[in-house]
Amino acid sequence: MGENLYLFMIIALAVLAITDLVVGVSNDAVNFLNSAIGSKAISFRTVMIVASIGIAFGAISSSGMMEVARKGIFNPEHFVFAEIMIIFMAVMITDILLLDFFNTLGMPTSTTVSIVFELLGAAVAVSLVKIMGDGEGASSLWMYINTDKATEIILGILLSVVIAFTVGALVQFISRLLISFKFENKPSWVGAIFGGFALTSIIYFILVKGLKSASILSPEILETIANKQFLFILSNFVVWTLLSWMITTLTRISIYTIVIVMGTFALAMAFAGNDLVNFIGVPLAALESYTSWSTSGIDPNVYTMEGLSTAVKTPQYLLLLSGMIMVVTLWFSSKAKNVVKTSVDLSRQDEGDERFQPNFLSRQIVRFSIKASENIAALIPDIIVRKMDTRFEKPYVYVPKSRVQDLPAFDLVRASVNLMVASVLISLATSMKLPLSTTYVTFMVAMGSSLADRAWGAESAVYRVAGVLNVIGGWFFTAISAFTAAALIAYIIHLGGIWAIGVLLIIASFLIGKNYLTHTKKMKETKLEEKLERAESNSIIGVIEESAANISLAIKRANKIYTQSIDGLAKHDIETLRKSKKGISKFDKEVEDLRDNIFYFIKNLDESSVSTSNFYIAILSYLQDMTQSLEYIAKAGYKHVHNNHKKLRFNQIKDLKETDGYLDQLFTDIQTIFETKDFLKLTELIIGKQELFKKVDMKIHKQVERTRTDESSPKNTALYFSLLLETKDLLVATMNLLETYDQHANTKI
């Protein structure tokens, strides 16, 4: 039974390893795809091909990193085989659950932080069980934990945040000062020197440092390079600078594009070389342990694991197979694309849509940073400040909404710096057998370079800082969660044995399946979701035509939200009211986005188009008035039911449903008019507005009479009057909107 149990655990760990590879790559795809995709220097397909080749090379060079899982966090000689298997099983189950959870949220997290703290948590839990069983003191815990290496790894991860951010910001600042945003107009020698420096850095750290364990370069060549490093670097710089100059002079290929291609390959390879241990290191260590124990004939509760302390070279075929799984995941994972979007959005050059809301800490950091930068700027002579400012000037170019999705998030220079700096730092760590967090490094390099590039302007800084704090907070939350969850699961396995493992695997499978289905459903809804679009025409006729679809959609959603609110109140159904509250929140945000875009809309107008801007501003104002009324109606109904107040009386519900019927007919007619663009029919609706107002006023008058005679609930009365008054305001805003369209559309026909 004992051997069958451990064989089952090995098989389960193998399955978990494949799953972890899939989930882990979905999380870490952001590390090497972010800059290439964000710059749009090469096609998405080319990015994927280059990254895939890099992953394959990196996978076969990661053998040395596998030692971290065997002896990097705990001292294996103090554990027996049965205990080691509990640690490994707990780590893999925890790792998959945590990574899948963060992927589903679309948040990049650190697989290195996960694996390190899971190993630490599980090892501590098993060690405490041993200590209590043997009657030892708590001070003996450090005998079981490899405190030196664990501290080195954890401090390395934390220090990498500062180093990556600082180096990324410094290199980007210097690059931009020398090259500016007008890099395409610079002499070819400027790009050649940049290309020589970038390519030399990548070649040296990838070939010499990153691939030294892959046996691609002979030991003799590596020794020669090590002895003559300065000569090797200098000759590389000269060769690559000359080649860069020839390429830019004789062809139309940008040297920055070449650097991005090489950098993507280098970063993908560095990622696979450094992070593969996070996904398969534990299962491989478990397989080595099982192989060693199964041939010994010793009881698993007695057989000690000194064998894990020795250096073992991982079979190349296993590394290559892992690399293939990573490549396939990269091509087909929708979650990977979702995580990439988060990182690209946070580092984009333009304003764009902000994904995170500012918080107290982000506001304080921005306020302090602005004050500090003003103080520093005061110490620098004005002539130097003005000269530096010219290097960071980015000319404004209006881009039609049809091409907004094609815009790069940042230019080729920043993408090159991101890839070069991140790949160099990660390869250097890999050569030191230090499992650096590739997520920390690539993300913080991107944040540092975007800060140095002045992408965090007054309009966006508070949102970007909030995003960085959210992501970093997520990583630290991962560390605490990983330690706690792995310790708990290890203890459960210790108590329950095979049954506990079976139940935990079933729970893990269920949660991953549930998250997958939820994510798939969310992606489908996103694709089908209708959204208000920005106008881009510079004439009233053009804006009327373009915004007709917006008005049709806005009226359709207003109708749905109003009906949901009234139905929820009538049925006292909190879920329906929650949906209407959520719907108006989204609707209001889209209208707010359109209002925020007024600056860019007006900038695109010619001098004779003042009336066009006035028309556009007016319709946005009326849309906002509509959303405010709907928001009050939705929230008031939700609050009433949520606080468990009395249900509305039958006559009140009847009147509200009748009012909903009036609005439903009006909104349906408006929607049809704007869908067909038959604006001549607007006049008929406008003529009938007084009749609608009279109907609402009658409902108010009836409630006044009821209140005098038999109404006994102050809350119901206040709510009812508020709903009818806001309904009247909603009608006023709607009619104002129709009158504005009627005035402009029908006079231009």
Side-chain angles (χ1 to χ4, degrees), residues 45-202:
R45 183 182 177 83
T46 304
V47 172
M48 297 293 279
I49 292 171
V50 171
S52 300
I53 297 170
I55 286 175
F57 273 93
I60 61 175
S61 69
S62 64
S63 177
M65 293 296 294
M66 297 302 159
E67 293 180 16
V68 174
R70 293 195 298 267
K71 59 181 181 179
I73 304 300
F74 55 84
N75 296 315
E77 64 272 14
H78 293 293
F79 294 92
V80 296
F81 174 68
E83 295 163 342
I84 285 288
M85 291 301 291
I86 290 175
I87 292 174
F88 291 155
M89 201 76 207
V91 166
M92 291 304 293
I93 292 174
T94 307
D95 199 52
I96 288 172
L97 290 175
L98 279 180
L99 290 182
D100 189 69
F101 172 71
F102 276 94
N103 290 350
T104 303
L105 294 179
M107 293 294 293
T109 189
S110 172
T111 52
T112 306
V113 170
S114 298
I115 205 75
V116 166
F117 280 91
E118 284 155 5
L119 281 166
L120 189 59
V124 167
V126 172
S127 300
L128 289 174
V129 169
K130 283 175 66 71
I131 289 170
M132 288 186 290
D134 296 340
E136 300 177 26
S139 59
S140 60
L141 174 64
W142 307 114
M143 179 177 68
Y144 298 94
I145 307 300
N146 187 350
T147 52
D148 291 340
K149 187 64 177 178
T151 303
E152 179 187 346
I153 291 170
I154 294 169
L155 288 178
I157 292 171
L158 294 174
L159 192 61
S160 69
V161 176
V162 180
I163 294 174
F165 187 86
T166 305
V167 175
L170 184 62
V171 174
Q172 179 61 37
F173 181 75
I174 294 171
S175 300
R176 190 63 74 190
L177 276 181
L178 297 175
I179 300 172
S180 82
F181 277 100
K182 301 172 184 175
F183 57 91
E184 293 172 341
N185 301 326
K186 293 290 178 183
S188 56
W189 63 267
V190 175
I193 291 176
F194 180 86
F197 178 79
L199 293 173
T200 299
S201 302
I202 291 170

Side-chain angles (χ1 to χ4, degrees), residues 20 23 67 131 238 346 374 555 675 714:
D20 205 24
V23 175
E67 293 180 16
I131 289 170
V238 172
L346 284 176
E374 288 173 352
I555 293 297
E675 282 177 353

Side-chain angles (χ1 to χ4, degrees), residues 402-468:
S402 57
R403 291 188 54 217
V404 166
Q405 295 299 321
D406 299 327
L407 280 177
F410 34 77
D411 68 1
L412 303 183
V413 174
R414 180 136 67 94
S416 301
V417 169
N418 286 348
L419 290 162
M420 172 181 64
V421 173
S423 60
V424 164
L425 290 176
I426 295 168
S427 297
L428 185 61
T430 304
S431 70
M432 299 165 62
K433 294 185 179 179
L434 185 66
L436 200 68
S437 170
T438 56
T439 307
Y440 266 129
V441 171
T442 53
F443 186 82
M444 295 312 293
V445 166
M447 291 301 98
S449 66
S450 64
L451 177 64
D453 224 14
R454 301 188 181 179
W456 294 12
E459 304 292 332
S460 61
V462 70
Y463 301 97
R464 306 289 171 87
V465 173
V468 172

Side-chain angles (χ1 to χ4, degrees), residues 337-371:
K337 297 179 180 64
N338 193 30
V339 175
V340 169
K341 180 171 172 34
T342 298
S343 193
V344 170
D345 283 350
L346 284 176
S347 56
R348 65 180 303 112
Q349 184 71 34
D350 302 313
E351 300 304 319
D353 295 326
E354 303 297 346
R355 300 191 70 191
F356 296 92
Q357 293 303 309
N359 52 51
F360 172 79
L361 190 56
S362 70
R363 292 188 184 100
Q364 294 305 313
I365 290 173
V366 170
R367 194 171 290 122
F368 173 80
S369 300
I370 291 172
K371 199 71 179 174

Side-chain angles (χ1 to χ4, degrees), residues 12-32:
L13 283 168
V15 174
L16 289 172
I18 296 172
T19 309
D20 205 24
L21 275 171
V22 173
V23 175
V25 172
S26 297
N27 176 79
D28 281 4
V30 63
N31 297 345
F32 47 88

